[in-house]
Amino acid sequence: MIRRTFLLAASALTLTATLSPAQARDQWTKAQANGWHATQPWQIGANYTPATAINQLEMFQAETWDPKRIDLELGWAQAMGMNVMRVNLHHLLWETDAPGLKRRMNEFMTIAARHNIKTLWIFFDSCWDPDPVAGPQHPPIPGVHNSGSVQSPGAARLKDASQYGKLEAYVKDVVTTFAKDDRVVGWDVWNEPNNPGGGNYKPTPDKNKYVATLLPRIFAAARAANPVQPLTSGVWIGDHWDDQSKLDAVEKIQIRESDILSFHDYSWPEKFEERAKQMLSYGRPVWCTEYMARGNGSTFDNTLPIAKKLNIAMYNWGFVDGKMQTRFPWDSWKKPYTYEEPTIWFHDVLHFDGTPYRQAEVDLIKRMAAAPKGVVPAAAY
């Protein structure tokens, strides 16, 4: 386990400014990617924000940082066999307190490593509120799914090319700090970059045009730090990911630049398997970095056996029910669940106190995690 000495913000900016394109590593070849992936255990985990935080800003800002709660929850994850967590960052965390952000990232990974869990970090996110603000975050909107999640960089910064250098510096600095850290399983450079936003928020005009300009620069900024971990960005919408003629400009960049390919799927198992095989057709390892929406047909029971057989890493959405309120479905933005609970939870695995929403799901995760790589235990069917 590697421990890094944290640099003062000014020193970090000086360091990243001196990195030249010549120092950046190339994209991994298919052989390199598959060779690296062969050394890894089968990954199973969740998209993680502690139940006490409404978004990544509240998770990592000093005033609301909650390591005791994180330690408790990651202990629950370890007990059910989870070995990875996908965790969202935000450029505003770095811009307002870069040394503090990196200290807390280090502390998070120290806690996670005690529980035999590695971290997949996300730099940017195109989903939900397009106008993020650092500082105290508003309380959850009653009955509404993900009511406090915020985009990064957000509409204003995305449209302002003069700010791109600072966004690149954020990525370079963070990756440089942890580029050789074996507690990092990878870098997810942008979550659903071509997502219009979701919720009741107004979409950003020409969003894809701006993202298609910035996304290659973000990949290059991460590679400039020469990380030993893979880079990825997951496709999430469409039916023909193996047909380049049917991909938009952003999706082509995601597939062209990723060391490990990744995708999201909240559909029935037959659609999951179809999409998984489309991604595997490129000859690279594949991770599913979001899945599991019970009311949408995506469940642990029907999806995990397929993924285990195909050696696809699996990160379900949501872990412990809390301020993000993702037990409520997406349609709660139009009809909030303030009168009664949904018939079934949409996301999340555990109640706030750690008891399972559905014990059979936890038992299945344990069995799948304990079985040898590529082996689906008979009891999983």
Side-chain angles (χ1 to χ4, degrees), residues 208-230:
N208 268 23
K209 178 185 72 174
Y210 297 113
V211 172
T213 299
L214 181 57
L215 182 58
R217 295 175 60 166
I218 298 304
F219 269 106
R223 285 207 171 91
N226 195 25
V228 299
Q229 312 95 348

Side-chain angles (χ1 to χ4, degrees), residues 172-222:
K172 288 180 184 177
D173 182 28
V174 171
V175 179
T176 296
T177 304
F178 301 106
K180 306 295 186 289
D181 197 320
D182 63 4
R183 299 171 299 174
V184 178
V185 75
W187 303 99
D188 194 335
V189 302
W190 202 317
N191 178 66
E192 298 189 359
N194 56 345
N195 192 315
N200 296 333
Y201 301 107
K202 183 178 179 181
T204 303
D206 297 321
K207 186 174 186 176
N208 268 23
K209 178 185 72 174
Y210 297 113
V211 172
T213 299
L214 181 57
L215 182 58
R217 295 175 60 166
I218 298 304
F219 269 106

Side-chain angles (χ1 to χ4, degrees), residues 41 45 50 97 126 189 197 244 268 293 304-305 310 319 343 351 365 367 375:
D97 183 15
S126 283
V189 302
Q244 288 279 317
W268 294 96
L304 281 180
L310 296 175
F319 186 53
T343 303
H351 291 271
I365 292 169
R367 290 196 300 272
V375 173

Side-chain angles (χ1 to χ4, degrees), residues 132-187:
V133 179
Q137 302 297 293
H138 67 74
I141 300 172
V144 175
H145 171 109
N146 243 343
S147 64
S149 290
V150 292
Q151 295 186 34
S152 176
R157 294 290 291 275
L158 183 61
K159 294 186 291 186
D160 185 356
S162 70
Q163 298 293 314
Y164 288 3
K166 188 181 291 186
L167 299 175
E168 291 172 282
Y170 149 61
V171 173
K172 288 180 184 177
D173 182 28
V174 171
V175 179
T176 296
T177 304
F178 301 106
K180 306 295 186 289
D181 197 320
D182 63 4
R183 299 171 299 174
V184 178
V185 75
W187 303 99

Side-chain angles (χ1 to χ4, degrees), residues 119-130:
T119 308
L120 174 61
W121 295 106
I122 312 168
F123 284 114
F124 298 101
D125 190 348
S126 283
C127 299
W128 309 110
D129 189 345

